[in-house]
Amino acid sequence: MTLMKSIHNQYDNLKQKLNNQPEKEVAVQYLDEFEKRLVKSDNSASGKNKKLSKKAKKQPDDLSADFFYSRMETLIRKSNELSPLKLLMNGLELATQFTNNEIGFYHQINLENVPELIIWPHKTNVGTIDKISPVLDSLIQYVKQTGLSLINNKLDTILMISSREKIVLKNVIIVPIFESDTIEALLIVGNRPKDYCEKDVSQLMFLGANIQMMAKKKKTEDAYKLSENNLRILTQHINDYIWSCDLKGQLTFMNSPAIEALGYNQAQLLKLTIFDFFLEKDRALFSYRFKSRINLEKKGIHTESSEYIVEHIRKDGSVFWAEIHVSPLRNEAGKITGLTGITRDVSQRIIDEKNLKDSERRLREAVAAKDKFLSIIAHDLKSPFSALVGLTEVLLEKHLKMDPDKREEIIRSIYQSSLRTYNLLENLLDWSRMQTGRKMFKPEEVHLKKLALDIFDLFAEMIKRKNIEFKIIEEKQSNVFADVDMIGTVLRNLLSNSLKYTPNGGKITLQMEDQHPEHVRVIFSDTGLGIEPADLKKLFRIDGNFSTPGIENEKGTGLGLILCKEFIEKNGGKLEVESQLNRGTTFSFCLRKIPQDTLN
């Protein structure tokens, strides 16, 4: 809305106010004349205005109106350059000059932080009235309470102003200035040589209302500019990326930190859409989401702010995690014109959250490991020793009278129990060293077949008793670069496991495939009971506590396979398992070959 149009509106409001005042005909007649002048001003070029002004000056009966109009026009033109306070001061000066007054006051009511203005002969003072007479105060209170203008041509009172000068008021006119139905201020002029009339009321009301309107508008504009400037400073110094786009997703704004962080310049950015920052795999999805939201807004269904966490891409191709808050951008009519959002780089937060989850997982595993350790010591280690004590006690007391076959059976049971207990103790020691970081990784050249034969010797008696066919297949001599103790433990546990679950007359095969230039693939298979598909995932979990009885109802802890997995990973491999129920199980892993620099 232009300032001149605002004045037209102000004119209509004043005319309505004057309808409630005595002798309104004079005031309305004056305002009608001024309205004609405003219409002419709106419909004429600046050059024509000057001609109208010159013609008007030639009409002696209309000099006061021409003076008023000319001064108002000048004040309107300069309103953008003046502060709200200067506008009020100029308006007050115009009011006193136009109505030929000696003194003028501008008394604010609802506009904050604007002092009272006082015009005294040929100078402007900004300050407050030190002392006001009871007579003038009663007149001011009357105007405030009734909203009616007041003329007193027979006033005789003294006023003290901030300069400590005494002012004698002989006559006065007090005009209320309205904003809607509220009195915003009082315009007071006094000490004119001749008496005041209703025409002076209409002139002062019109002048005061427009000056008040311009001052408020100027104050609002200044506040808006200050707010806009503060917002601009904020957006340029905040680390977040602030942006806006039109209904097609075309960028219309992005703050400096975003421009710098994303690697583009301003011109390049404004050629992009907001969807260009999404990875190709996410682009179609988020384009659909944003456009669906815009369509809902167009249909009058208002949406709230949305939040997404998704990967974004910079100009150099680097990827980062972005947290995006998107809101609809609406015009004054409430219709959507685009989207605005704040994007924040949360890559470090995602990393921290992942580390926290990993730490939480490790803590759970540590607690489970402790519980498992205590369980093994309390039960799994105690039971074999109890059996050993019982068997040796029987053998000690009855060996002389015992049948040789029975004695051999007891001795074999003692041997098997001792072997299992030894294997369990070895696993416990190795596992505890791994958990406490005391198990050092010492890779060296390992001949797999020779190591496998050494492990076979430990279980030779059991293999013979169960009539197991144990076969080692080596295409060519397989030397690997690994920790011999760790790989020995792996082979010992896998063989022990296979013997436990393979029935009499079964088959166990250890195969070394040497078909890759960098590693040897080790395959350990049996024709045992096999594992249920649902149980395969439980094999390597310390908190799963998974173990099933063997062919001869042997009990286990599940610790051996967990140890195998950790040792294989420590040696740079990955332990994999395949199994079919009642057909057998195959474990496989890869070990690195001897590096060339080691051979040299």
Side-chain angles (χ1 to χ4, degrees):
M1 181 184 292
T2 63
L3 191 56
M4 193 61 76
K5 188 171 181 182
S6 298
I7 293 176
H8 279 293
N9 293 340
Q10 191 69 51
Y11 159 80
D12 291 334
N13 292 334
L14 283 170
K15 196 169 181 180
Q16 202 171 28
K17 290 288 180 191
L18 288 169
N19 284 335
N20 300 321
Q21 300 226 19
E23 300 184 28
K24 63 181 179 181
E25 290 81 4
V26 177
V28 170
Q29 182 180 1
Y30 170 78
L31 288 175
D32 282 341
E33 176 63 25
F34 203 83
E35 165 73 357
K36 293 175 186 177
R37 289 178 172 274
L38 289 176
V39 171
K40 285 181 182 180
S41 173
D42 274 351
N43 296 332
S44 302
S46 57
K48 292 181 180 179
N49 283 341
K50 290 179 181 178
K51 291 178 181 178
L52 285 172
S53 181
K54 288 179 181 178
K55 288 180 180 180
K57 285 183 180 179
K58 293 180 181 179
Q59 301 173 10
D61 59 336
D62 205 22
L63 286 177
S64 61
D66 282 333
F67 169 79
F68 175 71
Y69 173 67
S70 175
R71 289 295 302 273
M72 275 293 294
E73 188 180 39
T74 302
L75 197 57
I76 290 169
R77 282 200 309 269
K78 291 184 176 180
S79 63
N80 288 333
E81 304 169 11
L82 301 175
S83 67
L85 188 59
K86 284 288 186 182
L87 272 170
L88 293 176
M89 291 172 66
N90 277 268
L92 183 57
E93 186 179 4
L94 175 58
T96 54
Q97 291 178 2
F98 177 54
T99 51
N100 195 24
N101 288 281
E102 184 182 26
I103 190 170
F105 307 97
Y106 199 91
H107 178 59
Q108 278 294 347
I109 296 175
N110 293 326
L111 194 62
E112 296 179 359
N113 301 323
V114 176
E116 240 172 356
L117 302 180
I118 303 169
I119 299 293
W120 185 231
H122 311 296
K123 65 179 179 178
T124 300
N125 296 319
V126 180
T128 58
I129 299 174
D130 287 347
K131 187 177 181 181
I132 191 169
S133 69
V135 176
L136 182 59
D137 183 59
S138 64
L139 298 179
I140 289 173
Q141 295 305 320
Y142 170 79
V143 175
K144 283 184 180 180
Q145 292 169 11
T146 63
L148 299 175
S149 302
L150 185 142
I151 297 174
N152 190 320
N153 288 316
K154 295 182 179 179
L155 184 66
D156 187 8
T157 187
I158 295 175
L159 184 70
M160 294 293 294
I161 63 172
S162 55
S163 60
R164 297 294 178 181
E165 294 181 80
K166 290 183 180 179
I167 302 172
V168 178
L169 282 179
K170 300 174 183 177
N171 58 359
V172 71
I173 182 169
I174 304 174
V175 177
I177 299 171
F178 289 90
E179 175 67 31
S180 297
D181 292 326
T182 306
I183 299 177
E184 291 282 322
L186 299 179
L187 180 59
I188 306 170
V189 293
N191 290 0
R192 192 168 75 169
K194 63 177 184 178
D195 290 347
Y196 296 107
C197 65
E198 273 67 26
K199 184 176 180 180
D200 298 319
V201 171
S202 62
Q203 291 174 342
L204 288 173
M205 283 187 72
F206 187 77
L207 174 63
N210 279 287
I211 295 300
Q212 177 79 0
M213 180 268 297
M214 284 191 288
K216 287 191 72 173
K217 184 178 179 183
K218 180 63 178 174
K219 186 179 181 188
T220 302
E221 288 174 352
D222 289 349
Y224 175 78
K225 287 178 181 177
L226 179 62
S227 176
E228 187 180 47
N229 185 55
N230 290 340
L231 182 61
R232 185 180 296 108
I233 292 171
L234 178 65
T235 59
Q236 301 311 324
H237 289 84
I238 197 170
N239 290 328
D240 294 335
Y241 310 159
I242 301 174
W243 53 268
S244 61
C245 66
D246 61 19
L247 295 176
K248 294 181 179 179
Q250 190 74 37
L251 282 171
T252 54
F253 169 77
M254 190 166 272
N255 64 340
S256 296
I259 294 171
E260 182 179 346
L262 294 171
Y264 295 91
N265 58 42
Q266 185 73 31
Q268 291 170 333
L269 273 174
L270 295 180
K271 292 179 182 178
L272 300 176
T273 68
I274 192 62
F275 312 117
D276 291 325
F277 300 105
F278 290 89
L279 298 183
E280 190 171 351
K281 65 183 180 70
D282 300 320
R283 200 166 292 159
L285 173 62
F286 279 90
S287 176
Y288 170 77
R289 284 180 176 176
F290 284 15
K291 289 175 181 177
S292 296
R293 181 170 192 168
I294 288 170
N295 289 334
L296 286 174
E297 288 280 348
K298 285 181 177 179
K299 292 176 182 178
I301 303 172
H302 283 195
T303 58
E304 301 299 325
S305 176
S306 301
E307 180 181 333
Y308 309 98
I309 295 181
V310 64
E311 288 178 298
H312 264 21
I313 187 168
R314 300 183 182 92
K315 184 181 179 182
D316 61 8
S318 59
V319 176
F320 67 97
W321 281 99
E323 181 183 78
I324 314 169
H325 296 266
V326 185
S327 300
L329 197 60
R330 301 186 182 100
N331 59 18
E332 293 179 357
K335 291 184 177 181
I336 187 169
T337 59
L339 297 173
T340 183
I342 298 176
T343 299
R344 177 174 296 173
D345 186 341
V346 293
S347 301
Q348 189 58 49
R349 191 180 83 191
I350 296 295
I351 293 171
D352 292 341
E353 288 175 354
K354 182 180 180 300
N355 291 338
L356 185 61
K357 288 179 181 177
D358 290 343
S359 177
E360 184 181 356
R361 175 183 54 78
R362 288 193 297 270
L363 181 59
R364 285 198 305 268
E365 290 175 352
V367 172
K370 181 199 70 174
D371 294 342
K372 185 75 171 178
F373 190 81
L374 293 174
S375 171
I376 291 170
I377 292 174
H379 181 267
D380 297 291
L381 197 56
K382 179 182 177 181
S383 296
F385 277 110
S386 297
L388 283 172
V389 170
L391 288 170
T392 53
E393 185 178 3
V394 170
L395 193 60
L396 179 64
E397 291 177 355
K398 301 180 180 181
H399 70 283
L400 295 175
K401 301 176 182 180
M402 192 175 292
D403 180 82
D405 292 337
K406 183 66 175 177
R407 185 168 55 244
E408 183 181 350
E409 181 184 345
I410 292 175
I411 293 172
R412 184 178 292 111
S413 296
I414 291 172
Y415 169 74
Q416 290 173 358
S417 182
S418 299
L419 188 62
R420 284 195 295 270
T421 306
Y422 172 78
N423 195 41
L424 177 58
L425 278 172
E426 283 286 326
N427 286 340
L428 276 173
L429 289 171
D430 286 338
W431 182 64
S432 65
R433 292 189 192 106
M434 282 290 292
Q435 299 305 309
T436 56
R438 291 183 291 115
K439 183 69 175 176
M440 302 300 293
F441 176 60
K442 298 178 180 178
E444 58 182 283
E445 182 178 357
V446 179
H447 184 200
L448 282 177
K449 185 175 182 179
K450 182 179 181 302
L451 180 61
L453 290 171
D454 291 341
I455 300 299
F456 169 82
D457 289 341
L458 294 174
F459 298 92
E461 194 278 333
M462 187 183 297
I463 292 171
K464 182 179 178 181
R465 182 177 60 82
K466 294 186 72 171
N467 195 27
I468 300 292
E469 180 186 349
F470 182 71
K471 190 176 183 180
I472 298 177
I473 302 174
E474 185 181 37
E475 297 174 356
K476 57 182 179 179
Q477 183 169 320
S478 302
N479 290 355
V480 296
F481 191 64
D483 186 304
V484 65
D485 291 335
M486 291 184 180
I487 302 305
T489 301
V490 170
L491 294 178
R492 186 182 76 241
N493 276 286
L494 292 179
L495 182 54
S496 174
N497 234 41
S498 291
L499 287 171
K500 185 174 13 175
Y501 296 108
T502 302
N504 291 351
K507 185 178 179 180
I508 298 174
T509 304
L510 175 60
Q511 182 177 356
M512 280 82 81
E513 291 182 350
D514 191 356
Q515 298 177 355
H516 194 278
E518 294 182 359
H519 61 252
V520 174
R521 183 173 177 80
V522 181
I523 304 168
F524 206 105
S525 59
D526 62 50
T527 58
L529 297 177
I531 306 169
E532 291 276 6
D535 292 331
L536 286 174
K537 295 180 180 178
K538 303 176 184 177
L539 289 180
F540 307 115
R541 291 178 60 88
I542 188 68
D543 56 346
N545 199 27
F546 176 74
S547 179
T548 56
I551 293 290
E552 299 177 357
N553 204 32
E554 303 99 323
K555 294 182 179 179
T557 63
L559 184 61
L561 286 179
I562 295 171
L563 201 58
C564 288
K565 177 178 179 293
E566 291 189 9
F567 280 174
I568 292 298
E569 289 177 353
K570 196 73 172 176
N571 281 269
K574 180 181 180 183
L575 184 61
E576 297 177 332
V577 58
E578 296 177 2
S579 187
Q580 288 183 311
L581 205 59
N582 299 320
R583 296 190 64 180
T585 303
T586 299
F587 289 92
S588 62
F589 54 91
C590 292
L591 294 173
R592 290 174 295 175
K593 290 185 177 180
I594 302 293
Q596 290 298 318
D597 56 351
T598 305
L599 293 174
N600 295 334

